[in-house]
Amino acid sequence: MAQTQTDREIDRSHMHVSDQVAIEITDMNKWFGSFHVLRDINLTVYEGERIVICGPSGSGKSTLIRCINRLEEHQTGSIVVDGIELTSDLKNVDKVRSEVGMVFQHFNLFPHLTVLENLTLAPIWVRKVPRKEAEETAMHFLEKVKIPEQARKFPGQLSGGQQQRVAIARSLCMKPRIMLFDEPTSALDPEMIKEVLDTMIELAEEGMTMLCVTHEMGFAEKVANRVIFMDAGQIVEQNEPTEFFNNPQSERTKLFLSQIL
Ligand code: ADP
Ligand code: MG
């Protein structure tokens, strides 16, 4: 197998990220029944990093990021998010989920609630934020994703790109320290991809720690400080984008890039 580079070996001097660890995954393995879906994952994410995760379908990308907010449970090794270890202790799971926002391919908005209600539901009922304050925060983030005029509409009345921006705004209303994106643009028509990527670029520029599963390699080149390639449940290779794209090390990475670029 080609030599793999661990995150600790990468020269991060030019990447403008802090030395504060946001996520530390150590010797982590996960099985679905007898299927070994994640193998010996070691990954350290520093605050302010923008990481793009790519790899063939079925390689475990979604499962990996779902483990980070415990939508999936790992079996061995450890995952520590902002100093909190993810175990079966539900207190810790709640704490981590309050720090980690997640945006999915399918926007997962509540169809029977207005945009504004989608954004204020969790702050009001989970965080006990007063309604007025929750609505002000919601409007602030709707302005940020550039659709404040859609606040009173229902998700079904919005375009896909607008719905995904609502989903991003909804996550931001919970004031996360880390954002996870799982193929946020792959269900969108081409003309709507840019508006969602632009929103993500803005978040990155503000210093949000981001892990994005995406095949938008233009986004990776522009925004990511690190690209991770996964195959068959492993982190096969990782590097800063220019090196990753121009000088892939493993045969599997080369094959993957030849298929998507
Ligand atoms: P990716 O996001 O890279 O396409 P996934 O993490 O979704 O990959 O899936 C990795 C593998 O695990 C696939 O083979 C998939 O079929 C399998 N898998 C995903 N979720 C489950 C599940 N809940 N139960 C059993 N197998 C699953
Ligand atoms: Mg996936």
Side-chain angles (χ1 to χ4, degrees), residues 32 35 37 55-64 72 182-183 213:
F32 284 122
F35 176 58
V37 58
S57 179
S59 55
K61 305 178 300 294
S62 294
T63 306
L64 174 61
E72 299 287 355
D182 193 357
E183 302 205 34
V213 176

Side-chain angles (χ1 to χ4, degrees), residues 4 13 21 34 40 49 55 76 99 106 111 120-121 125 151-152 174 192 200 206 208 216 245:
T4 63
S13 54
V21 173
S34 61
D40 302 323
E49 277 203 279
T76 66
E99 304 204 353
H106 300 287
T120 55
L121 187 73
W125 296 102
R152 304 284 165 189
M174 298 297 273
M192 290 166 194
M200 293 168 64
E206 287 167 11
M208 179 67 82
E216 292 292 333
F245 291 113

Side-chain angles (χ1 to χ4, degrees), residues 50-57 59 61-62 65 103 105 180-188 193 196-197 200 210-224 226-230 244-245 256-257 260-261:
R50 292 96 39 212
I51 295 180
V52 160
I53 303 174
C54 61
S57 179
S59 55
K61 305 178 300 294
S62 294
I65 65 166
V103 174
Q105 178 177 354
L180 309 175
F181 293 87
D182 193 357
E183 302 205 34
T185 59
S186 45
L188 298 177
I193 292 177
V196 171
L197 292 179
M200 293 168 64
M210 295 167 59
L211 269 79
C212 313
V213 176
T214 181
H215 292 154
E216 292 292 333
M217 292 300 139
F219 172 81
E221 279 189 298
K222 191 161 171 187
V223 175
R226 176 148 55 127
V227 181
I228 290 177
F229 173 68
M230 289 185 70
F244 180 83
F245 291 113
F256 175 76
L257 289 176
I260 62 157
L261 292 179

Side-chain angles (χ1 to χ4, degrees), residues 21-41:
V21 173
I23 303 169
E24 180 99 69
I25 304 179
T26 311
D27 298 331
M28 189 268 277
N29 285 271
K30 172 172 181 58
W31 288 261
F32 284 122
S34 61
F35 176 58
H36 197 171
V37 58
L38 293 174
R39 297 166 179 263
D40 302 323
I41 302 290

Side-chain angles (χ1 to χ4, degrees), residues 106-122:
H106 300 287
F107 329 118
N108 299 6
L109 298 171
F110 296 109
H112 59 292
L113 298 180
T114 66
V115 165
L116 191 66
E117 287 163 350
N118 266 279
L119 267 63
T120 55
L121 187 73

